[in-house]
Amino acid sequence: MFSAVDRSKARRAAAVTLWLLVTAAAAAAMVAAMVPVGPDWLGAAGSVGVATTFTWGLASRTGGRPIVFGALACAMAASAAWVGPDQLRTGGAVLIAAVSAVFAVMVTVPTKGFLGAVRECVIALVISAIGALAVVGLEPTIRVARFEYGAAGLALVGIFILVSRLGAGLHGLGRRGLIIVIVGAAVLAVGLLYAELLRTYSTTMVVDTLLSWVSWSREELGAFPRPMAAALGFPALAYGVHMRARRRQGWWVCAFGVAGTVSVATVLANPSTALQEAGLSVVYGLVVGLVIGFLLIRLDLALTGSRGKRSREAERDAAVRPEPARTAPLL
């Protein structure tokens, strides 16, 4: 006879397996539509599948009602894909990008070492990249800047609402956490200002210099790193999962990781960017972000007195703050 605990574990394993199969099938359908291979409806069907599984996963991870929200997401995505006008498809694409970005951050787990942080960033990138395929699958009619700002705004609002519960609220930040949030907000503001400078002013010396760097990178390397992902998103996510293994306030750092995941989720929305260039820009952004994240982790260890290899190993072994497993609810 199986105990109640064994039956619960078996049901969870079956649910996770089904979730992975549906997500993989949806991703395969969207890739086939991009090739293109197969019927015309494959891309839209894949987008509906991803919208359903990602919403289900996010609701389950955050202690919500996955059946209710998953069914609602499926109905909304299906209506946008096959019934609604262009505006509804565009709105659905924005929501998919935002949900994918938030889910990619929420599915991460704390890690003691840098290699674990690399693993978590790669997992977040893969999830948000599947979200990017789902965005294209709905074939939205967009203005790139508005689309990216809309998805980023929704994702930031959503992640901060969740993190305020996971990170013990603003009063639990502490001095170091408050400094991190201020610095992250400043980097986000500078990144948005940078994007507006490039879009609005095209003849000033500063902008000309920036554009020359972008042009050189595209010509020599094939792409330019996504700025918000490289400068804020992936560094914050790498440092955040490191910090979560030690302090609950690490969730506030991880919240800024959505700047990277939403950048990946919207990378294919710009029709003027080739697929190869989009992929390279994401990979370059991840590499640069991990380098910055590594430096932040080493700085954090130095400030806490963990200088030297033995001290760092002892500090890593002592980092035992528990969190639920990746497939278990956080709340």
Side-chain angles (χ1 to χ4, degrees):
M1 295 292 292
F2 291 102
S3 65
V5 175
D6 292 334
R7 289 194 296 270
S8 177
K9 289 182 178 179
R11 286 195 297 268
R12 177 178 295 178
V16 171
T17 302
L18 178 61
W19 187 93
L20 290 172
L21 290 174
V22 174
T23 302
M30 292 183 295
V31 171
M34 293 180 67
V35 170
V37 174
D40 295 338
W41 51 262
L42 274 180
S47 296
V48 174
V50 168
T52 304
T53 58
F54 279 14
T55 304
W56 181 297
L58 181 59
S60 178
R61 184 69 167 156
T62 55
R65 298 179 179 273
I67 295 178
V68 174
F69 288 105
L72 181 61
C74 180
M76 292 177 62
S79 298
W82 291 304
V83 179
D86 293 344
Q87 293 84 349
L88 188 58
R89 289 202 307 273
T90 302
V94 170
L95 289 175
I96 289 176
V99 168
S100 302
V102 175
F103 180 54
V105 173
M106 298 304 297
V107 81
T108 58
V109 296
T111 177
K112 295 181 179 181
F114 178 69
L115 292 180
V118 174
R119 178 198 65 218
E120 296 306 309
C121 287
V122 171
I123 290 173
L125 184 148
V126 171
I127 290 175
S128 48
I130 294 174
L133 294 175
V135 167
V136 176
L138 285 185
E139 299 181 357
T141 303
I142 67 170
R143 294 183 180 180
V144 176
R146 290 185 179 181
F147 184 86
E148 291 179 349
Y149 286 155
L154 287 175
L156 285 168
V157 169
I159 196 71
F160 277 112
I161 290 174
L162 294 172
V163 164
S164 65
R165 300 173 64 189
L166 294 168
L170 289 173
H171 63 278
L173 274 174
R175 181 180 299 176
R176 183 179 299 180
L178 182 60
I179 292 174
I180 291 170
V181 170
I182 292 174
V183 171
V187 173
L188 180 61
V190 170
L192 294 175
L193 178 61
Y194 157 83
E196 282 305 309
L197 281 173
L198 293 183
R199 290 189 180 99
T200 307
Y201 304 102
S202 57
T203 58
T204 64
M205 183 180 300
V206 174
V207 175
D208 286 344
T209 302
L210 292 174
L211 289 175
S212 67
W213 293 347
V214 173
S215 298
W216 178 87
S217 180
R218 285 176 172 171
E219 292 174 3
E220 300 298 328
L221 304 177
F224 186 76
R226 302 282 286 182
M228 293 306 299
L232 178 61
F234 289 122
L237 192 56
Y239 179 45
V241 294
H242 158 88
M243 191 176 178
R244 273 165 53 195
R246 294 146 178 88
R247 294 178 290 278
R248 187 178 183 182
Q249 289 74 19
W251 272 111
W252 284 103
V253 185
C254 283
F256 290 101
V258 82
T261 54
V262 78
S263 180
V264 176
T266 58
V267 70
L268 298 178
N270 190 345
S272 64
T273 302
L275 182 61
Q276 180 179 356
E277 182 180 350
L280 287 175
S281 68
V282 168
V283 173
Y284 293 158
L286 174 65
V287 172
V288 174
L290 287 174
V291 171
I292 298 174
F294 174 77
L295 296 176
L296 289 174
I297 291 173
R298 293 299 293 269
L299 177 62
D300 180 72
L301 293 176
L303 292 174
T304 54
S306 302
R307 295 181 178 87
K309 184 177 180 180
R310 290 184 178 179
S311 295
R312 288 195 298 270
E313 289 178 349
E315 190 277 343
R316 181 184 59 196
D317 294 338
V320 292
R321 178 184 171 271
E323 267 193 22
R326 196 185 304 276
T327 57
L330 287 164
L331 297 170

